[in-house]
Amino acid sequence: MTSGLSLALPGAGVDRGAVLQAFDALLQPERFKDYGPNGLQVEGRREIRKIVSGVTASRALIEAAIMAGADAIFVHHGLFWRGQDGCVTGWMKQRLALLLGHDVNLFAYHLPLDAHPDCGNNAQLGQVLGLQAVGRFGDQDLGFVGGWADGLPALTASEMAQHLTYRLGRPVVSVLASPDPIQRVAWCSGGAQGYFEAAMATGAQAFITGEISEPQAHLARECGVSFFACGHHATECYGAPAVASQVAARFGLAHEFIDIANPA
Ligand SMILES: [Zn+2]
């Protein structure tokens, strides 16, 4: 054995602490000010053989992970957020009872998973959409800005709406603000509609995120910058499997991504 992160013996699991260390080393949660705890949110069994990744630690995902034989679940949206009342009742009791009753670990990483330059939500979303980042913007540098990847022509806003719908396989809410070809695009996964003005300040002619609120439609029209709301879930379902599969491969663990469909 030459390394503390050596591969597991066939059939043997890997210590929970080593897996946590690997996630922390990759995602560097200490660099972020976040809305909830990043890392191991619920402690399960000590040995991990299989990781199931997903977007949100919903009851449906936890049940599916248990059925799939997971020892650990890795998600973007964990269980604990600032502003909760802290009571273990109702839906929280049900989710925790499943995890604790089946001794399953829950790892959750929020902003660190959005931000990672290669396997984070924004980096992976850019790849899916054919966008190449040249810079970052916004609070904690979470937003990405760039242009079309090699070989892709600049699209107009209405072509871009079709392109996004096709690549993401779902309807997109579009505010088409200008007929000109779009050279510079800013994007930030999830509920980043509040980043729109910071995105416009980068010189982008279009902004892609998960959600839109009422004011952004007016801002888009008045400033001539197109806005595309592609779904919170749809823009955040690439980071978790990218990170979990990388860490699982490093330890020789099994990994499966389970998508719990969400129209939002
Ligand atoms: Zn999110």
Side-chain angles (χ1 to χ4, degrees):
M1 300 274 177
T2 54
S3 140
L5 295 174
S6 47
L7 293 178
L9 296 170
V14 169
D15 190 89
R16 179 207 310 122
V19 176
L20 174 61
Q21 242 177 45
F23 283 135
D24 278 347
L26 186 63
L27 297 172
Q28 303 180 351
E30 67 283 355
R31 290 179 44 228
F32 295 86
K33 239 182 89 184
D34 215 329
Y35 305 93
N38 288 300
L40 181 66
Q41 288 199 345
V42 179
E43 186 178 298
R45 63 182 65 102
R46 190 182 175 127
E47 278 197 18
I48 295 175
R49 291 177 178 78
K50 176 166 184 175
I51 303 172
V52 160
S53 63
V55 177
T56 300
S58 62
R59 197 176 84 195
L61 178 70
I62 296 168
E63 286 170 345
I66 290 165
M67 288 290 287
D71 306 298
I73 301 174
F74 178 91
V75 292
H76 180 48
H77 301 135
L79 288 181
F80 307 110
W81 302 97
R82 202 162 60 199
Q84 283 172 333
D85 64 9
C87 298
V88 181
T89 54
W91 59 269
M92 179 66 91
K93 179 207 163 182
Q94 292 176 352
R95 294 184 189 182
L96 278 171
L98 281 166
L99 288 167
L100 296 172
H102 291 83
D103 216 12
V104 173
N105 296 282
L106 176 67
F107 296 99
Y109 291 83
H110 183 234
L111 299 182
L113 185 61
D114 288 319
H116 191 279
D118 304 312
C119 44
N121 280 322
N122 284 320
Q124 295 283 316
L125 180 65
Q127 266 185 35
V128 170
L129 300 179
L131 293 167
Q132 197 144 41
V134 297
R136 308 280 287 257
F137 74 94
D139 182 42
Q140 303 187 67
D141 268 350
L142 290 167
F144 282 42
V145 60
W148 301 103
D150 293 340
L152 281 177
L155 304 176
T156 65
S158 66
E159 288 167 344
M160 201 167 145
Q162 285 176 24
H163 171 75
L164 297 175
T165 303
Y166 174 72
R167 289 284 174 103
L168 297 173
R170 54 155 288 143
V172 165
V173 177
S174 307
V175 183
L176 310 180
S178 159
D180 300 332
I182 291 161
Q183 311 283 352
R184 193 169 171 84
V185 180
W187 70 98
C188 193
S189 67
Q193 60 269 58
Y195 282 44
F196 189 30
E197 285 180 87
M200 291 194 279
T202 69
Q205 294 119 17
F207 180 54
I208 299 167
T209 185
E211 302 181 19
I212 185 167
S213 300
E214 196 270 353
Q216 284 91 44
H218 302 291
L219 286 179
R221 291 174 189 143
E222 290 166 25
C223 301
V225 176
S226 296
F227 192 108
F228 299 95
C230 302
H232 192 133
H233 175 90
T235 55
E236 296 201 320
C237 57
Y238 304 105
V243 166
S245 64
Q246 186 170 320
V247 167
R250 181 164 168 190
F251 290 110
L253 302 174
H255 165 252
E256 182 183 347
F257 172 64
I258 297 182
D259 188 34
I260 305 295
N262 188 329

